[in-house]
């Protein structure tokens, strides 16, 4: 698929599916496939196996490969944006597996390292992107020290870097970085999901990532449509509707990010609520709050 088509799709709702587990604690592939099918039949055009809502850092290599393989099979005509990361060799190996499996995009997770230099950040991403030049690459930027200069240098060195998932919680910083790097050079994706999307769209974002879309695809897609049309008043009506749910996910510094989504899916009969440490299952009171929200959305 041409990079222009990929960029068009990234300017939308980029779904991050959960990774469902079975009673023995392993990845439940059949359930995973059904969850992906539900997303794409609802209108989602980009699905990201091995994202943070997919518990990427709690999966082993075999499991991350399985998630990509299941997603490619279930995604039909939608684009698959496979999450890769860790050390350079591991990320390159994963990116090549994703490419060979049929994924047309990879997302490089923010490097997990105590000592990140700007020059090293550029080289880390260049090495991975250059290993799969035919695959579109999306950067996952969570480091406020990475600026437009680094992004522009990386794009010069690796032309297949076509998108930036920006997850620094600062829309002013985002506006600055995106313009310094080149607003038209990348697809700019608001990487902090629906609650941040209106603010980031106001200063240049073209899409947003979502875990909520697993639970209520229509709400996420409707929010995107209103933001794309510049209907911020309408978007904020939906924002208020989902705010309690997203605030539950954000509690305790996002400790419940995955647990809330999985519990909601469990209440809808779509997968088990199980998560892996360091995430946790929800309390009865938290589960009751989710039931109330689902009921208010007409989903329970």
């Amino acid at each position: 698929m041409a990079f222009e088509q990929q960029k068009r799709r990234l300017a939308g709702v980029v779904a991050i599916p959960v990774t469902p587990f079975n009673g023995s604690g392993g990845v439940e592939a059949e359930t995973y496939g059904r969850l992906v099918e539900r997303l794409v039949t609802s209108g989602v055009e980009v699905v990201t196996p091995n994202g943070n809502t997919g518990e990427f850092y709690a999966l082993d290599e075999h499991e991350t490969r399985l998630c990509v393989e299941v997603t490619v099979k279930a995604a039909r005509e939608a684009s698959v944006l496979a999450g890769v990361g860790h050390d350079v060799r591991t990320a390159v190996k994963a990116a090549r597996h994703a490419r060979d499996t049929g994924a047309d995009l990879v997302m490089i997770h923010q490097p997990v390292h105590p000592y990140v230099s700007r020059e090293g950040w550029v080289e880390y991403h260049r090495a991975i992107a250059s290993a799969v030049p035919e695959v579109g690459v999306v950067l996952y930027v969570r480091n406020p020290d990475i600026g437009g200069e680094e992004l522009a240098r990386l794009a010069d060195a690796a032309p297949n870097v076509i998108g930036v998932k920006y997850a620094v919680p600062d829309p002013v910083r985002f506006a600055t970085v995106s313009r310094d790097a080149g607003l038209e050079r990348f697809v700019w994706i608001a990487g902090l999901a629906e609650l941040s999307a209106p603010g980031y769209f106001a200063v240049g974002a073209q899409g947003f990532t979502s875990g909520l879309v697993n639970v209520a695809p229509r709400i996420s897609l409707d929010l995107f449509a209103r933001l794309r049309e510049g209907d911020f008043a309408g978007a904020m009506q939906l924002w208020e509707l989902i705010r309690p749910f997203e605030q539950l996910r954000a509690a305790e510094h996002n400790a419940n990010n995955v647990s809330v989504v999985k519990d909601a899916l469990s209440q809808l009969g779509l997968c088990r609520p199980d998560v892996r440490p360091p995430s946790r299952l929800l309390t009865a009171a938290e589960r009751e709050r989710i039931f109330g929200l689902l009921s208010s959305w007409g989903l329970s």
Side-chain angles (χ1 to χ4, degrees):
M1 183 182 297
F3 289 160
E4 287 305 313
Q5 172 73 349
Q6 295 171 341
K7 291 173 77 171
R8 184 193 66 76
R9 289 183 169 182
L10 289 168
V13 178
V14 179
I16 319 294
V18 299
T19 302
F21 301 128
N22 57 34
S24 300
V27 174
E28 179 50 63
E30 185 175 343
T31 301
Y32 196 115
R34 288 198 296 268
L35 292 175
V36 172
E37 288 175 357
R38 182 170 179 262
L39 289 169
V40 299
T41 56
S42 297
V44 169
E45 291 191 297
V46 181
V47 182
T48 309
N50 301 326
N52 282 340
T53 304
E55 296 178 80
F56 172 69
Y57 290 101
L59 304 176
D60 64 26
E61 180 182 3
H62 170 75
E63 291 171 328
T64 58
R65 286 184 169 222
L66 176 61
C67 290
V68 172
E69 291 161 5
V70 171
T71 303
V72 168
K73 184 176 180 180
R76 304 181 186 183
E77 299 302 315
S79 287
V80 175
L81 172 64
V84 304
H86 303 296
D87 61 279
V88 170
R89 287 187 179 183
T90 298
V92 166
K93 187 178 179 182
R96 287 174 171 163
H97 169 263
R99 175 199 62 194
D100 296 343
T101 300
D104 51 322
L105 295 155
V106 297
M107 178 189 73
I108 304 175
H109 281 273
Q110 174 73 24
V112 179
H113 196 291
Y115 312 116
V116 179
S117 67
R118 292 184 179 88
E119 294 80 6
W121 185 94
V122 172
E123 177 56 23
Y124 175 85
H125 291 86
R126 185 210 61 77
I128 300 167
S130 297
V132 285
E134 59 279 271
V135 173
V137 172
V138 174
L139 312 174
Y140 190 174
V141 178
R142 299 174 67 93
N143 186 343
D145 291 332
I146 300 304
E149 178 183 352
E150 288 75 41
L151 291 168
R153 285 170 50 206
L154 178 57
D156 288 339
N160 57 326
V161 175
I162 61 174
V164 179
K165 175 182 174 179
Y166 199 80
V168 176
D170 183 346
V172 175
R173 179 64 177 161
F174 166 68
T176 302
V177 170
S178 60
R179 281 154 180 80
D180 288 348
L183 197 57
E184 304 300 324
R185 193 165 195 176
F186 306 99
V187 177
W188 296 94
I189 304 163
L192 295 169
E194 281 84 354
L195 289 193
S196 72
Y200 282 72
F201 264 69
V203 293
Q206 299 155 281
F208 61 81
T209 57
S210 177
L212 169 69
V213 72
N214 289 279
V215 179
R218 181 44 49 200
I219 293 177
S220 295
L221 291 166
D222 284 352
L223 176 64
F224 168 73
R226 296 184 188 195
L227 291 172
R228 180 183 56 191
E229 295 162 5
D231 178 12
F232 282 90
M236 291 307 295
Q237 290 178 350
L238 292 174
W239 188 93
E240 288 287 1
L241 182 70
I242 63 175
R243 179 161 65 105
F245 185 87
E246 291 297 288
Q247 287 177 333
L248 275 175
R249 295 180 67 200
E252 300 179 31
H253 302 285
N254 285 305
N256 299 324
N257 185 296
V258 181
S259 305
V260 169
V261 176
K262 277 192 167 179
D263 198 279
L265 289 171
S266 175
Q267 294 194 36
L268 295 176
L270 297 173
C271 78
R272 295 171 62 94
D274 310 58
V275 293
R276 289 180 178 173
S279 294
R280 66 167 176 87
L281 292 172
L282 301 183
T283 65
E286 289 167 333
R287 299 194 74 240
E288 186 64 26
R289 288 191 65 191
I290 292 171
F291 178 82
L293 291 170
L294 295 177
S295 297
S296 71
W297 298 346
L299 294 179
S300 63

